[in-house]
Amino acid sequence: MRTGSKSAQADADRRSIQRERCVLRCRITCGPWNEVVEAILRDVHEDGARLRLSSRVVLTGRLRLEIQPGGAVQMADVAWRHGDEIGVRLVETLDETVERQIEALQRAGARMRQSRSPAPNDGSY
């Protein structure tokens, strides 16, 4: 039993040393309908992060995190939840450049579809 408590203390010390405290806005996209939840990134380490949610929602499974202001995108799995905070395991870093290119292409496609609609005939040029 005593060994277990030393191990738990060692784990707590290890985590506190390796965590980088921060306060960054974060947008979480999750679920089959790509619901968006705002959060604050409170601390991060090489394998995970702690987030404070802006609303009481149930998040499970795989999440897409967009960290502001830089726009870095991470895929993460929910590891734990306590009240309005969740812990996530960082699974994959997405290339934010590619993500932004995709969004730019989607906006361009939407503009093209809008320009195809017939202009109103109001007698002007």
Side-chain angles (χ1 to χ4, degrees):
M1 188 95 173
R2 195 171 200 185
T3 307
S5 66
K6 283 184 180 179
S7 177
Q9 182 63 37
D11 287 345
D13 290 342
R14 178 185 54 83
R15 287 188 2 206
S16 66
I17 291 169
Q18 293 180 351
R19 290 181 184 268
E20 181 179 332
R21 298 208 182 279
C22 57
V23 179
L24 296 171
R25 289 182 344 166
C26 180
R27 179 174 292 141
I28 301 169
T29 306
C30 59
W33 296 281
N34 290 324
E35 298 170 68
V36 175
V37 177
E38 298 294 326
I40 301 293
L41 183 65
R42 299 298 300 171
D43 63 50
V44 66
H45 58 92
E46 67 183 38
D47 296 327
R50 179 173 55 106
L51 301 133
R52 177 165 290 149
L53 303 175
S54 63
S55 60
R56 293 264 180 188
V57 295
V58 176
L59 298 176
T60 59
R62 181 73 38 107
L63 309 173
R64 179 182 183 272
L65 306 175
E66 182 179 348
I67 302 164
Q68 304 297 326
V73 178
Q74 295 277 334
M75 296 305 289
D77 290 330
V78 176
W80 56 264
R81 178 180 184 126
H82 297 287
D84 64 348
E85 289 190 341
I86 63 169
V88 296
R89 261 189 240 68
L90 301 177
V91 176
E92 177 183 7
T93 300
L94 299 179
D95 184 347
E96 62 269 9
T97 305
V98 171
E99 288 288 314
R100 289 183 183 172
Q101 289 173 349
I102 290 169
E103 290 170 3
L105 287 170
Q106 289 171 336
R107 286 191 302 272
R111 284 193 302 270
M112 288 174 56
R113 285 188 295 279
Q114 288 175 349
S115 67
R116 288 185 187 166
S117 61
N121 187 1
D122 60 3
S124 61
Y125 292 64

